[in-house]
Amino acid sequence: MQVGIGITNFSWSIPVDEIGPTVSRLARTADEAGFDSLWVMDHLFQIRISGLPPESPMPEAYATLSFLAGQTQRIRLGTLVTAVPYRHPGVLIKTVTALDVLSGGRTIFGIGAGAPYNIPPTGPGTTFEAEGLGLPFLSLAERFEQLEELLQIAHQMWRGDETPYDGRHYQLVRPLNSPNSVQRPHPPILIGGSGERKTLRMVAQYADACNLFDLPGAGFADNLGHKLTVLRDHCTAHGRDYADIEKTVTTQFDPTNISALVHHLAELAALGIDHALMTPAAPWTDATLAAVATALPEIHAM
């Protein structure tokens, strides 16, 4: 099993000018220790399900990844996951491609329809962060349409096809992408979410990896097993080899109980999960990262 770390909580008790050095140190340590991937959230404000207020520090995702690309050598870099409504597809694919080129081919393109984690009391139709910064945030059905168009545009731009794209939501007259990505035919595409009718179908049709939720509780194995069965069925319907899809989960762990983490990762591996993307219940510390690093040989052997 591969292991990634998610840096999603930047609420260290430090001055703001120490956030960069702190994140840089964690990324370099993870890189040198042999972690496989490093992830940040694509949120503009901190999300309420984290238990933190929206005013908590939340650096922009691709600026953060670009900074960390220059601090690391081998670890793969991804956004878990990019929210379709926040960037125009043409600019987004240029951004992801630039990160892939400048990092030497280490980018994973995490993408999703965007979820309204921060619904304000003034309106059920927009997220607090999108509304706060004046970004359009369409209905869920329309965001899925945007997601599918973006995936089509991504494949077109990464294969070097400059013919016009004319969709319902996006029109690109000349989708030129120069320089194109280091990874060929394109950076791995990971779609986040577990919707059985649309999300997992798009994984089978367009993506290289899925990201599922590791929901706590006794029924986690049945839930993940069911989602993987649905994904397998979509792969069959689209003529895709199920084995070609990397199965990832996002999981939170107690940093005081690394043995419990290792046991749980073994359970996930037995279900067919290839890559665990981990976040502690509090901000990463040097001690937490070192404790997980000691278990890496055992986890990688799963």
Side-chain angles (χ1 to χ4, degrees):
M1 173 179 277
Q2 292 190 311
V3 184
I5 68 166
I7 302 180
T8 62
N9 187 337
F10 297 82
S11 299
W12 298 283
S13 297
I14 56 176
V16 67
D17 62 354
E18 292 183 19
I19 292 177
T22 299
V23 175
S24 174
R25 184 178 68 252
L26 291 168
R28 290 197 306 271
T29 300
D31 190 34
E32 294 163 4
F35 286 86
D36 300 287
S37 59
L38 186 156
W39 306 80
V40 297
M41 295 194 299
D42 188 27
H43 283 287
L44 308 170
F45 303 165
Q46 182 57 267
I47 57 177
R48 293 181 182 181
I49 62 172
S50 70
L52 296 168
E55 297 81 9
S56 300
M58 180 54 62
E60 194 277 331
Y62 282 100
T64 303
L65 289 181
S66 297
F67 170 70
L68 295 179
Q71 307 290 316
T72 54
Q73 298 296 319
R74 46 155 297 280
I75 199 166
R76 310 206 70 189
L77 305 163
T79 299
L80 197 68
V81 287
T82 311
V84 164
Y86 292 170
R87 298 167 189 82
H88 188 280
V91 175
L92 175 58
I93 299 307
K94 284 285 293 183
T95 300
V96 175
T97 302
L99 180 62
D100 194 62
V101 169
L102 298 177
S103 69
R106 292 189 285 134
T107 301
I108 302 171
F109 180 41
I111 187 68
Y117 287 115
N118 291 319
I119 298 175
T122 55
T126 58
T127 61
F128 183 38
E129 57 198 86
E131 183 179 66
L133 296 188
L135 297 175
F137 198 84
L138 304 180
S139 70
L140 181 59
E142 290 172 307
R143 297 199 309 276
F144 271 112
E145 292 173 353
Q146 290 178 314
L147 174 59
E148 185 147 22
E149 288 191 13
L150 183 146
L151 290 164
Q152 293 168 357
I153 292 166
H155 279 277
Q156 178 175 334
M157 290 180 67
W158 276 324
R159 68 175 176 263
D161 181 353
E162 299 177 25
T163 58
Y165 180 89
D166 186 18
R168 178 187 174 194
H169 296 277
Y170 306 115
Q171 297 79 42
L172 287 71
V173 174
R174 187 191 179 195
L176 171 65
N177 193 29
S178 179
N180 216 320
S181 59
V182 170
Q183 298 180 88
R184 305 306 300 159
H186 53 74
I189 299 171
L190 176 150
I191 298 178
S194 57
E196 297 179 13
R197 189 167 63 89
K198 294 182 180 179
T199 303
L200 294 179
R201 186 266 300 170
M202 289 189 201
V203 171
Q205 191 169 355
Y206 298 105
D208 306 285
C210 65
N211 182 252
L212 303 172
F213 300 113
D214 181 18
L215 300 174
F220 84 93
D222 290 339
N223 176 67
L224 284 176
H226 172 69
K227 298 298 182 183
L228 293 174
T229 297
V230 172
L231 175 60
R232 184 187 296 272
D233 291 343
H234 281 302
C235 286
T236 299
H238 287 276
R240 189 79 185 275
D241 188 344
Y242 173 77
D244 289 343
I245 305 293
E246 185 179 36
K247 294 83 178 175
T248 81
V249 297
T250 304
T251 189
Q252 192 175 80
F253 69 98
D254 177 0
T256 67
N257 195 345
I258 301 302
S259 61
L261 169 65
V262 173
H263 175 75
H264 185 54
L265 294 182
E267 293 177 315
L268 293 172
L271 288 171
I273 299 301
D274 304 305
H275 199 155
L277 316 178
M278 307 182 307
T279 57
W284 282 100
T285 66
D286 296 331
T288 300
L289 197 57
V292 178
T294 62
L296 279 179
E298 183 178 358
I299 298 169
H300 279 150
M302 292 175 180

